[in-house]
């Protein structure tokens, strides 16, 4: 019993470590947001590139964000609630260099990232 519990814990630890290593953090600027047909649509910029973030208005972590700067974390493939490039968004103040992942309690939204 102890061996199977230990093995399960090691697998879980390795799995979470891979997830942390494959996340990409970046600062984004929300330029505009709107709700259209039950979908929240945010126009954002990351450096010189423009993207769209979308989520279903009635989803738990779907928020119409105000214009401004935020921290965006791209989740690994097959993580998150959407079947696309899934991202989590945090306040810009969550961008601390000593933390691999910001405090999940401070997450302001989860979105599907669509490249323009």
């Amino acid at each position: 019993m102890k061996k199977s519990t230990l093995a399960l814990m090691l697998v879980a630890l390795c799995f979470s470590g891979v997830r942390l290593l494959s996340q990409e953090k970046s600062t984004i600027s929300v330029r505009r947001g709107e709700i259209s047909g039950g979908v929240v649509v945010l126009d954002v910029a990351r450096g010189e590139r423009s993207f769209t973030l979308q989520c279903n208005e009635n989803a738990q972590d779907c928020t119409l964000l105000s214009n401004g700067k935020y921290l965006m974390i791209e989740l690994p493939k097959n993580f998150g609630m959407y079947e696309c490039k899934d991202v989590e968004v945090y306040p810009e103040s969550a961008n601390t260099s000593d933390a691999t992942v910001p405090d999940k309690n401070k997450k302001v939204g989860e979105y599907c990232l669509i490249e323009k």
Side-chain angles (χ1 to χ4, degrees):
M1 182 71 169
K2 286 183 180 180
K3 288 182 181 180
S4 62
T5 303
L6 180 60
L8 183 60
M9 288 174 45
L10 286 172
V11 168
L13 180 62
C14 290
F15 181 68
S16 64
V18 169
R19 182 176 179 204
L20 294 177
L21 291 174
S22 61
Q23 293 180 337
E24 182 180 325
K25 294 189 326 185
S26 56
T27 301
I28 60 168
S29 296
V30 174
R31 297 183 200 168
R32 185 173 67 86
E34 65 181 12
I35 299 173
S36 177
V39 176
V40 172
V41 179
L42 303 173
D43 289 327
V44 301
R46 177 173 56 187
E48 298 294 320
R49 298 191 62 188
S50 295
F51 299 91
T52 300
L53 299 181
Q54 293 184 358
C55 61
N56 297 323
E57 180 182 21
N58 58 355
Q60 177 181 350
D61 290 324
C62 184
T63 306
L64 179 61
L65 298 176
S66 302
N67 293 355
K69 293 189 181 255
Y70 297 87
L71 174 65
M72 180 177 78
I73 296 183
E74 295 182 37
L75 300 179
K77 186 175 183 176
N78 298 322
F79 279 86
M81 69 171 58
Y82 299 105
E83 293 185 24
C84 60
K85 184 65 174 179
D86 208 325
V87 299
E88 293 178 342
V89 177
Y90 296 84
E92 185 180 31
S93 61
N95 192 7
T96 58
S97 59
D98 61 337
T100 305
V101 179
D103 181 357
K104 291 286 186 191
N105 295 325
K106 295 185 175 157
K107 179 169 73 170
V108 294
E110 186 169 340
Y111 306 89
C112 183
L113 174 68
I114 300 169
E115 298 188 42
K116 291 183 179 181

